[in-house]
Amino acid sequence: MLVQVAINGEKHEAEVEPRLLLVHLIRDILRLTGTHIGCDTTHCGACTVLLDGRAVKSCSVFAVQAHGKEIMTVEGLEQDGKLHPLQEGFMQEHGLQCGYCTPGMLMASYAFLKKNPQPDEEQIRRAISGNLCRCTGYVNIVKAIEYAAAKLRQGGS
Amino acid sequence: MISLPGYARRGGRWVADVPSRFVRELTSSERDELARLCRERSKALGFRAAIVNLSARGVPIPEIMRQLGVSRPTVTAWLARFDKFGLRGLQDEPRPGRRPKLTPDVGRQIALVARSRPRDLGVQIARWSLLRLREYLVGTGAVSALSLESLRSALRRGGLSLKAIRTGIARKGTTMIPAAFEYHVPTSIGEATALLAKHGEDAKVLSGGQSLIPLMKLRLASPRHLIDINRIPDLAYIREAEGVLRIGALTRESDLEESDLVRTRYPILLETSKVIADPLVRNLATVCGNLAHGDPANDHPATMLALGAEAVAFGQKGERRIQAGSFFTGPFTTALNSGEILTEIRIPIPPPRSGGAYVKLERKVGDFATAAVAAQVTLKEKGVCERAGIGLTNVGPTPIKAKKAEAFLQGKRLDEGIIKQAAQLAAEESQPTSDLRGPAEYKRDLVRVLTARALTKAVERAGGGR
């Protein structure tokens, strides 16, 4: 089946089997490998992308379901060579150790901050409850998101 | 110094003093090739190359035997083979039996094509299928004719499977790829039910897919037809009309969380939604799917039982309504027929002085409930109970409606003592089994505690606490 999607504003199309998962379309066919596969069982959230603005686990969506939709992956965060405040936050606050969960954390918190620009810690923790960090570096991840929220509120991006 | 005739002292040991023989002089290209083969020592060929290599460096046979842990006949046999046939002598001799139809060269060529992206070879498809691969190979004259089975085994001999190539995961057993299915995208409910009627038990409805797709990846479900209802318009809504709150088939859990109507008027629904899986799953998962899946561990069933909701089932013969109380017929089984789609949930708008709550104990955020209880009460004046609904999650083969506890509460003033007794009744109505989440006795007691908490909160919200 033909699938046409816009990823980070760029149009792509591919002929795929219906059973192909969205994450495999993104990684293997379109070669955008920023999106990770951590568990393959809908638990870890490393494969989180935005599908028409909603953060979803791309390992649990078929590529054909994304036909005609807008996708945003971690590669879409940086604009004109400038890091997104979230990326900057993860850097400043040591929000990553091995970095495997980071693309998912970034995309989940990106969608979250759009909806809730002024979150408290509890809300942030709930928002990333679908994203597992095997290094258990949650404290700094929460700080990183708080950093980004503050910067975004000041019109940082 | 002792001397033994026919033996010599070497490396501190007595060894047979036969004049050692060595392999013949190597050419420089043989030397390079042997060195390369030696690096692949684990394979038989590398092992044989190592024998020749050592010998060429002047290592005597006993030392080769010691270093490689092989017997004298093995060493001498391979040295002799190399002397006579050169590098070719190290290869296996042809085995008896029918010769493979495809020569290794052709096999290599097939593997090369299979590993390439079709577009790079001018074929306008994204990925190879066996058929397309054969078409290409025959078309380019690489092979004259080839059965699909020969092609498959040629790929396997080359350590390839098309699946591995497609997914980029070469190791067997690590892929989580659903079985192939035919994908249907109806644009109306009528079209969807027609497809369901046509394919019957071979078909599954895909809405949020957050239970179905993981099951398909584990191959616990392998429907041959997938009917994706996500492109049917007007199925996502939450609205009050004619005395009922209606929730459409494509209403996502996150829609409930974001709905002002739900937030202000149905805290029990909000509480239920918020403890389902995680926010990412809830962005896709639907309320109706949570019910139609029939999983006793799902959260909405208990809430719908407590609220006295009704399911609208749409099939070829039209629409019928099913009471939540008779909707859950067994584990992962509902009253829906195979040709029916759950299109809407209807919740009677609670009258004034009503309140509800969902209380869940989970081991960690997003887990299925160890146990959970939904309670909904409507009070008459003076705090007397007019109606009580109680639903239990994950403490039986189906979601459980605690009827005895409900009946007990009716007409009583809902004070602490009465709630305590009702909670005891609900615990007795639960049918938990022991599992990873705890022993049955623990879960039964948990039902008692959670029922009391849910009822207390419900009464408070109904204004009875004032």
mmCIF file of all heavy atoms in Angstrom, chain A residues 89-112:
data_model
loop_
_atom_site.group_PDB
_atom_site.id
_atom_site.type_symbol
_atom_site.label_atom_id
_atom_site.label_comp_id
_atom_site.label_asym_id
_atom_site.label_seq_id
_atom_site.Cartn_x
_atom_site.Cartn_y
_atom_site.Cartn_z
ATOM 1 N N GLY A 89 17.606 22.096 27.509
ATOM 2 C CA GLY A 89 17.348 21.737 28.896
ATOM 3 C C GLY A 89 17.966 20.399 29.256
ATOM 4 O O GLY A 89 18.590 20.253 30.315
ATOM 5 N N PHE A 90 17.814 19.421 28.365
ATOM 6 C CA PHE A 90 18.376 18.090 28.637
ATOM 7 C C PHE A 90 19.903 18.170 28.724
ATOM 8 O O PHE A 90 20.529 17.426 29.463
ATOM 9 C CB PHE A 90 17.935 17.084 27.563
ATOM 10 C CG PHE A 90 16.618 16.415 27.888
ATOM 11 C CD1 PHE A 90 15.433 17.134 27.877
ATOM 12 C CD2 PHE A 90 16.570 15.072 28.232
ATOM 13 C CE1 PHE A 90 14.218 16.534 28.194
ATOM 14 C CE2 PHE A 90 15.361 14.455 28.552
ATOM 15 C CZ PHE A 90 14.189 15.185 28.535
ATOM 16 N N MET A 91 20.467 19.102 27.953
ATOM 17 C CA MET A 91 21.915 19.266 27.965
ATOM 18 C C MET A 91 22.341 19.965 29.272
ATOM 19 O O MET A 91 23.219 19.494 29.980
ATOM 20 C CB MET A 91 22.325 20.099 26.769
ATOM 21 C CG MET A 91 23.687 19.810 26.233
ATOM 22 S SD MET A 91 23.841 20.477 24.560
ATOM 23 C CE MET A 91 24.129 22.195 24.915
ATOM 24 N N GLN A 92 21.685 21.064 29.572
ATOM 25 C CA GLN A 92 22.056 21.868 30.736
ATOM 26 C C GLN A 92 21.844 21.115 32.049
ATOM 27 O O GLN A 92 22.632 21.243 32.979
ATOM 28 C CB GLN A 92 21.237 23.171 30.783
ATOM 29 C CG GLN A 92 21.533 24.140 29.653
ATOM 30 C CD GLN A 92 22.983 24.583 29.644
ATOM 31 O OE1 GLN A 92 23.613 24.709 30.680
ATOM 32 N NE2 GLN A 92 23.541 24.788 28.446
ATOM 33 N N GLU A 93 20.760 20.373 32.125
ATOM 34 C CA GLU A 93 20.395 19.743 33.403
ATOM 35 C C GLU A 93 20.830 18.281 33.471
ATOM 36 O O GLU A 93 20.380 17.536 34.340
ATOM 37 C CB GLU A 93 18.878 19.845 33.619
ATOM 38 C CG GLU A 93 18.342 21.271 33.670
ATOM 39 C CD GLU A 93 18.808 22.019 34.909
ATOM 40 O OE1 GLU A 93 19.248 21.377 35.877
ATOM 41 O OE2 GLU A 93 18.748 23.261 34.896
ATOM 42 N N HIS A 94 21.644 17.851 32.540
ATOM 43 C CA HIS A 94 22.084 16.451 32.519
ATOM 44 C C HIS A 94 20.895 15.512 32.440
ATOM 45 O O HIS A 94 20.799 14.537 33.199
ATOM 46 C CB HIS A 94 22.916 16.113 33.749
ATOM 47 C CG HIS A 94 24.382 16.200 33.492
ATOM 48 N ND1 HIS A 94 25.041 15.301 32.680
ATOM 49 C CD2 HIS A 94 25.300 17.087 33.909
ATOM 50 C CE1 HIS A 94 26.308 15.645 32.625
ATOM 51 N NE2 HIS A 94 26.502 16.731 33.350
ATOM 52 N N GLY A 95 19.973 15.793 31.542
ATOM 53 C CA GLY A 95 18.742 15.003 31.442
ATOM 54 C C GLY A 95 18.936 13.668 30.749
ATOM 55 O O GLY A 95 17.958 12.993 30.451
ATOM 56 N N LEU A 96 20.165 13.330 30.427
ATOM 57 C CA LEU A 96 20.365 12.016 29.808
ATOM 58 C C LEU A 96 21.671 11.409 30.278
ATOM 59 O O LEU A 96 22.618 12.112 30.603
ATOM 60 C CB LEU A 96 20.368 12.104 28.282
ATOM 61 C CG LEU A 96 21.417 12.972 27.612
ATOM 62 C CD1 LEU A 96 21.796 12.379 26.275
ATOM 63 C CD2 LEU A 96 20.910 14.384 27.451
ATOM 64 N N GLN A 97 21.652 10.089 30.344
ATOM 65 C CA GLN A 97 22.892 9.373 30.653
ATOM 66 C C GLN A 97 23.288 8.571 29.424
ATOM 67 O O GLN A 97 24.128 8.972 28.644
ATOM 68 C CB GLN A 97 22.691 8.518 31.905
ATOM 69 C CG GLN A 97 22.549 9.416 33.142
ATOM 70 C CD GLN A 97 22.165 8.657 34.377
ATOM 71 O OE1 GLN A 97 22.744 7.634 34.696
ATOM 72 N NE2 GLN A 97 21.182 9.171 35.086
ATOM 73 N N CYS A 98 22.605 7.432 29.184
ATOM 74 C CA CYS A 98 22.958 6.679 27.973
ATOM 75 C C CYS A 98 22.291 7.291 26.747
ATOM 76 O O CYS A 98 22.722 7.095 25.622
ATOM 77 C CB CYS A 98 22.589 5.209 28.110
ATOM 78 S SG CYS A 98 20.871 4.822 27.779
ATOM 79 N N GLY A 99 21.209 8.033 26.965
ATOM 80 C CA GLY A 99 20.578 8.745 25.858
ATOM 81 C C GLY A 99 19.566 7.947 25.055
ATOM 82 O O GLY A 99 18.971 8.470 24.122
ATOM 83 N N TYR A 100 19.358 6.682 25.429
ATOM 84 C CA TYR A 100 18.473 5.862 24.593
ATOM 85 C C TYR A 100 17.017 6.319 24.662
ATOM 86 O O TYR A 100 16.320 6.337 23.652
ATOM 87 C CB TYR A 100 18.584 4.375 24.983
ATOM 88 C CG TYR A 100 18.194 3.485 23.839
ATOM 89 C CD1 TYR A 100 19.144 3.022 22.942
ATOM 90 C CD2 TYR A 100 16.860 3.166 23.611
ATOM 91 C CE1 TYR A 100 18.784 2.252 21.855
ATOM 92 C CE2 TYR A 100 16.488 2.399 22.527
ATOM 93 C CZ TYR A 100 17.456 1.937 21.653
ATOM 94 O OH TYR A 100 17.097 1.189 20.572
ATOM 95 N N CYS A 101 16.574 6.708 25.844
ATOM 96 C CA CYS A 101 15.172 7.093 25.999
ATOM 97 C C CYS A 101 14.926 8.529 25.559
ATOM 98 O O CYS A 101 13.788 8.962 25.451
ATOM 99 C CB CYS A 101 14.738 6.922 27.453
ATOM 100 S SG CYS A 101 15.478 8.141 28.573
ATOM 101 N N THR A 102 16.021 9.278 25.346
ATOM 102 C CA THR A 102 15.914 10.725 25.162
ATOM 103 C C THR A 102 14.993 11.170 24.021
ATOM 104 O O THR A 102 14.173 12.058 24.221
ATOM 105 C CB THR A 102 17.325 11.336 25.014
ATOM 106 O OG1 THR A 102 18.152 10.810 26.041
ATOM 107 C CG2 THR A 102 17.273 12.841 25.128
ATOM 108 N N PRO A 103 15.092 10.576 22.831
ATOM 109 C CA PRO A 103 14.183 11.037 21.767
ATOM 110 C C PRO A 103 12.717 10.925 22.174
ATOM 111 O O PRO A 103 11.917 11.840 21.917
ATOM 112 C CB PRO A 103 14.488 10.094 20.604
ATOM 113 C CG PRO A 103 15.846 9.552 20.867
ATOM 114 C CD PRO A 103 15.994 9.512 22.359
ATOM 115 N N GLY A 104 12.374 9.826 22.863
ATOM 116 C CA GLY A 104 10.998 9.641 23.320
ATOM 117 C C GLY A 104 10.635 10.638 24.402
ATOM 118 O O GLY A 104 9.553 11.220 24.392
ATOM 119 N N MET A 105 11.553 10.850 25.347
ATOM 120 C CA MET A 105 11.321 11.826 26.412
ATOM 121 C C MET A 105 11.091 13.212 25.815
ATOM 122 O O MET A 105 10.199 13.951 26.237
ATOM 123 C CB MET A 105 12.536 11.883 27.349
ATOM 124 C CG MET A 105 12.705 10.678 28.239
ATOM 125 S SD MET A 105 11.458 10.666 29.542
ATOM 126 C CE MET A 105 11.935 9.162 30.413
ATOM 127 N N LEU A 106 11.918 13.562 24.838
ATOM 128 C CA LEU A 106 11.808 14.886 24.222
ATOM 129 C C LEU A 106 10.458 15.053 23.534
ATOM 130 O O LEU A 106 9.787 16.080 23.708
ATOM 131 C CB LEU A 106 12.936 15.083 23.193
ATOM 132 C CG LEU A 106 14.336 15.300 23.769
ATOM 133 C CD1 LEU A 106 15.393 15.202 22.676
ATOM 134 C CD2 LEU A 106 14.427 16.656 24.462
ATOM 135 N N MET A 107 10.040 14.041 22.772
ATOM 136 C CA MET A 107 8.792 14.191 22.025
ATOM 137 C C MET A 107 7.581 14.184 22.950
ATOM 138 O O MET A 107 6.638 14.945 22.762
ATOM 139 C CB MET A 107 8.663 13.089 20.959
ATOM 140 C CG MET A 107 9.741 13.119 19.894
ATOM 141 S SD MET A 107 10.191 14.776 19.324
ATOM 142 C CE MET A 107 8.748 15.238 18.385
ATOM 143 N N ALA A 108 7.617 13.325 23.990
ATOM 144 C CA ALA A 108 6.490 13.285 24.934
ATOM 145 C C ALA A 108 6.381 14.619 25.670
ATOM 146 O O ALA A 108 5.296 15.163 25.830
ATOM 147 C CB ALA A 108 6.666 12.141 25.923
ATOM 148 N N SER A 109 7.535 15.162 26.071
ATOM 149 C CA SER A 109 7.453 16.411 26.828
ATOM 150 C C SER A 109 7.172 17.607 25.908
ATOM 151 O O SER A 109 6.558 18.575 26.330
ATOM 152 C CB SER A 109 8.708 16.632 27.676
ATOM 153 O OG SER A 109 9.867 16.331 26.969
ATOM 154 N N TYR A 110 7.577 17.484 24.654
ATOM 155 C CA TYR A 110 7.247 18.542 23.685
ATOM 156 C C TYR A 110 5.725 18.681 23.557
ATOM 157 O O TYR A 110 5.166 19.779 23.658
ATOM 158 C CB TYR A 110 7.871 18.206 22.325
ATOM 159 C CG TYR A 110 7.563 19.192 21.216
ATOM 160 C CD1 TYR A 110 8.353 20.325 21.022
ATOM 161 C CD2 TYR A 110 6.476 18.999 20.360
ATOM 162 C CE1 TYR A 110 8.081 21.227 20.013
ATOM 163 C CE2 TYR A 110 6.188 19.898 19.340
ATOM 164 C CZ TYR A 110 7.000 21.015 19.169
ATOM 165 O OH TYR A 110 6.721 21.904 18.162
ATOM 166 N N ALA A 111 5.066 17.537 23.365
ATOM 167 C CA ALA A 111 3.600 17.564 23.231
ATOM 168 C C ALA A 111 2.958 18.035 24.532
ATOM 169 O O ALA A 111 1.989 18.797 24.523
ATOM 170 C CB ALA A 111 3.083 16.174 22.864
ATOM 171 N N PHE A 112 3.535 17.602 25.641
ATOM 172 C CA PHE A 112 2.981 17.961 26.947
ATOM 173 C C PHE A 112 3.068 19.463 27.197
ATOM 174 O O PHE A 112 2.093 20.102 27.614
ATOM 175 C CB PHE A 112 3.727 17.176 28.036
ATOM 176 C CG PHE A 112 3.442 17.642 29.426
ATOM 177 C CD1 PHE A 112 2.169 17.517 29.976
ATOM 178 C CD2 PHE A 112 4.444 18.204 30.207
ATOM 179 C CE1 PHE A 112 1.904 17.941 31.261
ATOM 180 C CE2 PHE A 112 4.184 18.632 31.505
ATOM 181 C CZ PHE A 112 2.911 18.506 32.025
#
